[in-house]
C-alpha cells in the first residue's frame, strides 16, 4: 500500500495605478509619491491524494479558484544618489471582493465508484498588502531597468488544503472555507517605460 500527494499553487495578477508625485522624481535626492488604483489577482490551487493498494487506486482531489477584484492605495519613497540610479521602497494595501470556487472529487476502485463529487461557489471579502524594495537603473529618457524583492500577503482566500474534509456526511466537502491566509515573496526584475 502506498500514498502520493501533490499540491500546486499558481498566482498571477495585474494592476492599474495613478501616481501622485509630492516631490519631483529622479530630481530631488528624496522623492515621495502616492499610489491609488485597481488590482486583480487570479489564485488557483490543487491538491491530489492517490492511494494505491494493488490492483486498485483511490483518488481524492480538490481544486480551488480565487478571482480577486479590488482597490488599493499606497506610498512610494525614492532615493536618488545619482541621476541614473535610484532606490525605492513602496507599500500598498487594499480591499477586494473574491469570487471563489472549489471542486472536490473522491473515487475508489480506479474511480469506478464515486464517493464524493461537489462544486461550490461564493463571494468573500479579502484584504491584501504588498511591499517591495527595488533598485532602478535609468537609461535613455523613458526607460528604467529594475530589480528588487517583493512580498504580497492576502487574507480571505479559498486554499486547497483548507478544504480537506474527513467527514463522511452528505454535506462533506461542499462548504467553501475562505479563511485562508497566504504570503508570496521573491525576487523580480523588469523594464519600466515612464512618460
Amino acid at each position: 500500500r502506498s500514498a502520493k500527494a501533490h499540491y500546486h499553487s499558481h498566482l498571477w495578477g495585474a494592476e492599474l495605478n495613478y501616481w501622485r508625485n509630492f516631490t519631483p522624481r529622479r530630481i530631488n535626492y528624496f522623492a515621495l509619491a502616492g499610489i491609488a488604483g485597481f488590482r486583480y489577482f487570479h489564485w488557483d490551487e490543487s491538491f491530489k491524494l492517490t492511494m494505491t493498494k494493488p490492483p486498485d487506486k483511490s483518488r481524492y482531489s480538490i481544486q480551488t479558484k480565487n478571482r480577486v477584484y479590488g482597490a488599493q492605495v499606497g506610498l512610494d519613497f525614492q532615493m536618488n544618489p545619482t541621476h541614473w540610479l535610484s532606490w525605492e521602497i513602496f507599500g500598498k494595501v487594499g480591499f477586494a471582493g473574491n469570487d471563489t470556487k472549489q471542486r472536490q472529487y473522491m473515487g475508489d476502485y480506479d474511480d469506478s465508484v464515486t464517493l464524493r463529487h461537489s462544486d461550490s461557489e461564493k463571494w468573500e471579502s479579502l484584504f491584501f498588502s504588498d511591499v517591495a524594495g527595488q533598485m532602478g537603473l535609468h537609461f535613455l529618457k523613458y526607460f528604467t531597468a529594475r530589480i528588487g524583492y517583493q512580498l504580497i500577503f492576502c487574507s480571505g482566500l479559498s486554499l486547497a488544503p483548507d478544504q480537506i474534509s474527513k467527514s463522511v456526511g452528505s454535506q462533506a466537502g461542499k462548504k467553501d472555507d475562505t479563511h485562508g491566509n497566504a504570503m508570496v515573496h521573491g525576487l523580480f526584475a523588469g523594464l519600466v517605460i515612464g512618460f
Side-chain angles (χ1 to χ4, degrees), residues 3-21:
K4 183 179 180 180
H6 181 262
Y7 174 53
H8 177 77
S9 186
H10 181 251
L11 166 70
W12 67 268
E15 57 185 298
L16 178 65
N17 293 308
Y18 170 77
W19 289 66
R20 172 69 170 129
N21 297 315

Side-chain angles (χ1 to χ4, degrees), residues 162-177:
D162 295 340
Q163 313 307 321
I164 296 173
S165 174
K166 299 176 183 177
S167 174
V168 294
S170 61
Q171 297 302 308
K174 294 184 178 180
K175 182 181 177 183
D176 191 355
D177 185 338

Side-chain angles (χ1 to χ4, degrees), residues 32-192:
L32 184 65
I35 307 166
F38 300 99
R39 194 146 190 181
Y40 173 76
F41 292 109
H42 186 104
W43 196 311
D44 294 344
E45 291 203 336
S46 64
F47 172 80
K48 183 178 179 181
L49 177 64
T50 304
M51 301 286 293
T52 304
K53 184 179 180 182
D56 297 317
K57 286 185 179 180
S58 301
R59 178 170 60 102
Y60 183 23
S61 64
I62 300 171
Q63 284 118 20
T64 61
K65 294 182 179 181
N66 298 271
R67 304 296 178 263
V68 180
Y69 308 87
Q72 63 184 6
V73 295
L75 288 173
D76 177 273
F77 177 72
Q78 184 182 73
M79 293 183 296
N80 302 289
T82 70
H83 71 281
W84 54 269
L85 179 67
S86 67
W87 298 88
E88 290 183 67
I89 298 173
F90 70 78
K92 293 176 278 189
V93 296
F95 289 95
N98 184 7
D99 179 17
T100 74
K101 296 180 182 178
Q102 76 111 346
R103 170 177 289 179
Q104 290 200 21
Y105 175 82
M106 183 184 293
D108 204 355
Y109 298 107
D110 294 326
D111 291 339
S112 62
V113 176
T114 299
L115 303 175
R116 180 182 302 169
H117 190 196
S118 65
D119 291 277
S120 61
E121 181 178 357
K122 73 175 185 177
W123 279 88
E124 182 65 60
S125 60
L126 180 143
F127 166 81
F128 63 89
S129 61
D130 181 0
V131 294
Q134 63 186 15
M135 180 182 71
L137 180 63
H138 312 290
F139 62 98
L140 300 178
K141 187 175 181 180
Y142 300 109
F143 294 89
T144 302
R146 290 185 176 174
I147 185 170
Y149 178 84
Q150 185 173 17
L151 184 147
I152 300 172
F153 171 80
C154 290
S155 175
L157 292 168
S158 174
L159 303 176
D162 295 340
Q163 313 307 321
I164 296 173
S165 174
K166 299 176 183 177
S167 174
V168 294
S170 61
Q171 297 302 308
K174 294 184 178 180
K175 182 181 177 183
D176 191 355
D177 185 338
T178 54
H179 296 96
N181 300 320
M183 186 168 49
V184 178
H185 62 97
L187 297 173
F188 68 87
L191 180 66
V192 176

